[in-house]
């Protein structure tokens, strides 16, 4: 089995910024509450008419430029998203066409906050099996398209963004994706969902009136689950690789709430300096948080070639994901 490694990373967030002060004018909330309870100061939001594939396209162009690749070199495209441009065709198909990635195949993957990690697992297995020489893994969401901006419990949390990485075969056993641990638990589905618009409850005038095409969340349930399951999964993956937290150079978690990240890191006994938090500038961009945080880590000089990184995520589904990797560029 060949190991896969990340050889390029590109991110994109739309230019428009929605600040806590803006939200104070829209719902009964305050900058103080949002910062204290979530750690968020601002988030990026698309202009009307901009879709997930548009953000993904910008992120992917950066990946190709970084690697000096032509779009026709891309073999596979996996797009993790819960906000596809349309139910079908898949956003991967729309993106393939925009990029001009003739000859590529691909698909969308729905795993909400764990989507990027599940796509990373899937893509790395395609490389490990020898089936593909490269896979473009994208995490992109336009959460603002499914948020009710009259619901203070959800509208302050989410933002829009995209991140993409290229997976290619690793040259040595020491670099690249070392292990993953993923788990789903559908019994938690009720706590974070978009109830209407699917085959269970197709769109009707009634469902629109009841605002059932928006994110509905029982925040405290998801909050507790995310802390417990992320820390448990991280412990297990470290143990089975005979590693301890002190071996890690960086912990990059899904950015859903600053308090979730800090509590999970605390349970693991992680040095706060090794924990990347950038939720203040982006909010929760669902599938895009981990690539966005990785880009910030590189930019801040916290992530360098050879660095041992633990990725972790938890969210709607429920889904939980962890990936252990040695950074390769
Ligand atoms: O990435 C997907 C996975 N999602 C998550 O991981 C999210 C997990 N959950 C959370 O991050 C937190 O639960 C929230 C940020 C959503 C909420 O924070 P919380 O500390 O759990 O607050 P709460 O829901 O327990 O609400 C506490 C109070 C309530 O008022 P009362 O009933 O105590 O009077 C809420 O109505 O805060 C109120 N509240 C707000 N107040 C001002 C809820 N949202 C707001 C708001 N501004 N935006």
């Amino acid at each position: 089995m060949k190991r896969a490694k990340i050889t390029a990373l590109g991110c994109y967030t739309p230019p428009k910024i929605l600040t806590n002060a803006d939200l104070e004018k829209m719902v009964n909330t305050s900058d103080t509450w949002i910062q204290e309870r979530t750690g968020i100061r601002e988030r990026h939001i698309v202009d009307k008419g901009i879709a997930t594939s548009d953000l993904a396209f910008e992120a992917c162009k950066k990946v190709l430029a970084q690697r000096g690749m032509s779009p026709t070199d891309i073999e596979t495209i996996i797009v993790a998203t819960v906000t596809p441009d349309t139910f079908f065709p898949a956003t991967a198909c729309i993106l393939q066409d925009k990029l001009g990635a003739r000859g590529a195949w691909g698909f969308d993957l729905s795993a909400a906050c764990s989507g990027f990690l599940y796509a990373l697992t899937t893509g790395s297995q395609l490389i490990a099996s020898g089936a593909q020489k490269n896979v473009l893994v994208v995490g992109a969401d336009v959460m603002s398209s499914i948020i009710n901006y009259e619901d203070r419990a959800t509208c302050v949390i989410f933002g829009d963004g995209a991140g993409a990485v290229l997976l290619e075969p690793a040259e040595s056993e020491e670099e690249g994706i070392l292990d993953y641990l993923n788990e789903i638990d559908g019994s938690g589905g009720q706590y974070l969902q978009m109830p209407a618009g699917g085959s269970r409850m197709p769109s009707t005038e009634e469902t629109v009136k009841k605002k059932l095409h928006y994110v509905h969340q029982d925040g405290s349930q998801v909050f507790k689950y995310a802390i417990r399951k992320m820390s448990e999964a991280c412990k297990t993956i470290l143990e089975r690789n005979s590693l301890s937290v002190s071996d890690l150079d960086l912990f990059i978690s899904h950015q859903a709430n600053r308090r979730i990240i800090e509590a999970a890191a605390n349970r693991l006994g992680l040095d706060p300096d090794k924990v990347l938090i950038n939720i203040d500038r982006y909010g929760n961009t669902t599938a895009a948080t981990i690539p966005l945080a990785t880009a910030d880590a590189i930019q801040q000089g916290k992530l360098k070639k050879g660095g041992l990184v633990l990725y972790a995520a938890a969210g709607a589904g429920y889904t939980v994901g962890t990936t252990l990797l040695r950074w390769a560029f």
Side-chain angles (χ1 to χ4, degrees):
M1 293 283 270
K2 274 220 167 273
R3 186 162 275 171
K5 65 174 179 177
I6 293 173
T7 55
L9 166 73
C11 291
Y12 180 77
T13 48
K16 191 160 99 188
I17 288 174
L18 184 67
T19 63
N20 291 351
D22 295 329
L23 285 159
E24 281 178 350
K25 292 177 204 137
M26 294 158 68
V27 287
N28 180 17
T29 191
S30 67
D31 175 48
T32 311
W33 190 96
I34 302 171
Q35 291 217 42
E36 279 178 11
R37 307 305 290 171
T38 72
I40 303 168
R41 280 192 295 116
E42 59 188 35
R43 62 296 283 141
H44 293 245
I45 301 287
V46 297
D47 283 318
K48 204 170 184 308
I50 301 295
T52 295
S53 71
D54 299 318
L55 307 191
F57 177 57
E58 296 301 326
C60 290
K61 279 198 296 193
K62 291 183 190 174
V63 167
L64 293 179
Q66 218 178 88
R67 202 72 187 104
M69 271 172 75
S70 148
T72 51
D73 295 333
I74 302 168
E75 292 191 352
T76 312
I77 303 170
I78 307 176
V79 179
T81 187
V82 288
T83 52
D85 289 25
T86 52
F87 259 8
F88 67 89
T91 303
C93 298
I94 299 167
L95 179 62
Q96 174 274 335
D97 185 46
K98 278 193 173 135
L99 287 167
R102 278 186 307 282
W105 73 289
F107 52 92
D108 289 1
L109 187 155
S110 175
C113 311
S114 308
F116 180 77
L117 295 188
Y118 285 19
L120 208 55
T121 299
T122 310
S124 61
Q125 296 308 305
L126 289 170
I127 301 278
S129 69
Q132 307 294 160
K133 283 192 204 66
N134 66 58
V135 180
L136 195 53
V137 168
V138 185
D141 272 298
V142 173
M143 293 307 291
S144 60
S145 67
I146 56 166
I147 291 299
N148 175 5
Y149 283 97
E150 291 173 354
D151 174 14
R152 69 175 184 177
T154 51
C155 75
V156 302
I157 304 171
F158 293 96
D160 303 335
V165 297
L166 189 74
L167 289 173
E168 295 182 84
E171 269 109 53
S172 82
E173 277 301 295
E174 279 74 52
E175 63 177 11
I177 294 173
L178 309 174
D179 197 8
Y180 70 90
L181 194 168
N182 301 331
E183 186 184 334
I184 60 173
D185 176 5
S187 70
Q190 60 194 300
Y191 300 120
L192 181 48
Q193 59 171 331
M194 187 175 109
S199 57
R200 176 72 60 203
M201 207 190 289
S203 309
T204 61
E205 210 174 308
E206 189 71 6
T207 62
V208 173
K209 250 191 227 147
K210 287 184 173 162
K211 302 189 188 302
L212 297 174
H213 302 268
Y214 291 126
V215 170
H216 289 248
Q217 175 171 243
D218 182 337
S220 63
Q221 289 288 341
V222 185
F223 187 93
K224 286 181 269 182
Y225 179 84
I227 295 170
R228 180 170 61 80
K229 289 301 290 190
M230 280 206 301
S231 51
E232 279 174 13
C234 287
K235 263 189 197 139
T236 307
I237 198 170
L238 287 172
E239 270 166 28
R240 77 182 187 196
N241 284 277
S242 307
L243 293 165
S244 74
V245 281
S246 58
D247 296 312
L248 290 175
D249 292 294
L250 204 56
F251 174 65
I252 300 184
S253 159
H254 169 55
Q255 309 279 310
N257 186 318
R258 171 183 270 274
R259 291 183 296 137
I260 294 177
I261 304 166
E262 286 174 346
N266 194 31
R267 281 191 188 194
L268 288 165
L270 265 157
D271 174 352
D273 285 349
K274 293 183 177 182
V275 181
L276 202 289
I277 299 182
N278 69 351
I279 193 171
D280 51 321
R281 285 163 37 235
Y282 300 113
N284 180 350
T285 54
T286 304
T289 60
I290 289 182
L292 280 169
T294 307
D296 274 4
I298 294 171
Q299 203 245 324
Q300 292 167 18
K302 290 184 174 172
L303 182 55
K304 297 197 171 78
K305 189 176 161 84
L308 187 64
V309 185
L310 181 58
Y311 282 152
Y318 290 129
T319 59
V320 185
T322 56
T323 303
L324 187 64
L325 67 158
R326 203 167 276 288
W327 197 249
F329 70 88

